Amino acid sequence: MAAGAKRGINPDSPLARLIAGPMRPGRLVWIGLRPARRAALVSVERAQITVEAGLVGDHYTGRPGGPRQVTLIQAEDLAAIAGFLGRDDPVSPFDLRRNLVVTGINLLGLSDKRFRIGCALLEATGGCHPCSRMNEILGEGGYNAVRGRGGLTARVIEGGEIVVGDAVAVEG
């Protein structure tokens, strides 16, 4: 499907060409596994991703090929969320309960695209919206601070190992 086609953009338009244009690769800077519902995340340096289970060791595996097998957020958004809350230090990825933190790549630019992290091939499936627990975790206003900055959900197309430091790049 051409870039922007899901959004009703004419695939031959200048905007569609801009959306489909090149993106500078980013980098994976953090991996978190949620061993059980509401359990504290475990930070790891490497993990396996499979089509069947999503992120191996994460309690939320979704269904094979499901749209929410892996969740991602930008490190840059952790700082922005903190700013919206009046904090000086970035919000911790432990608080937002996303699986992967990336830097140097705009996750919105991955919408409707396939991308690689290490050996794994993922496909962006939508936004990762804040849950009702954000006020509980981040304090009053937490939910609204995360709105529009919650990251991205993805399905696994090809499994493989990912390691902190791996490139995050649009698949050609």
Side-chain angles (χ1 to χ4, degrees):
M1 177 171 288
K6 286 186 180 178
R7 290 184 218 102
I9 298 171
N10 177 343
D12 297 322
S13 73
L15 179 57
R17 285 192 297 277
L18 288 171
I19 290 170
M23 290 180 64
R24 181 178 162 272
R27 188 170 43 87
L28 177 64
V29 296
W30 187 86
I31 303 169
L33 302 176
R34 302 163 295 189
R37 186 173 185 271
R38 290 192 174 243
L41 271 78
V42 177
S43 177
V44 296
E45 290 294 312
R46 62 184 60 237
Q48 287 291 327
I49 293 181
T50 69
V51 172
E52 299 77 24
L55 203 55
V56 175
D58 190 70
H59 88 92
Y60 186 87
T61 59
R63 58 181 163 75
R68 196 180 167 96
Q69 289 182 299
V70 180
T71 59
L72 301 91
I73 193 163
Q74 295 170 195
E76 294 84 355
D77 281 338
L78 297 176
I81 292 165
F84 297 144
L85 292 169
R87 298 180 183 177
D88 293 328
D89 295 325
V91 169
S92 168
F94 288 97
D95 292 335
L96 296 183
R97 304 188 60 75
R98 301 302 185 260
N99 297 125
L100 308 177
V101 178
V102 301
T103 190
I105 191 166
N106 184 343
L107 290 178
L108 285 178
L110 297 178
S111 296
D112 302 328
K113 294 182 181 169
R114 290 183 174 187
F115 56 96
R116 284 210 180 268
I117 301 178
C119 297
L121 179 63
L122 306 175
E123 180 177 61
T125 56
C128 192
H129 307 291
C131 73
S132 59
R133 292 187 61 215
M134 289 298 98
N135 277 3
E136 174 188 328
I137 294 168
L138 299 173
E140 191 65 33
Y143 180 87
N144 282 320
V146 179
R147 285 179 62 196
R149 303 276 182 175
L152 188 72
T153 58
R155 77 170 40 95
V156 180
I157 304 301
E158 295 174 7
E161 182 178 59
I162 60 171
V163 179
V164 169
D166 279 346
V168 179
V170 173
E171 182 75 355

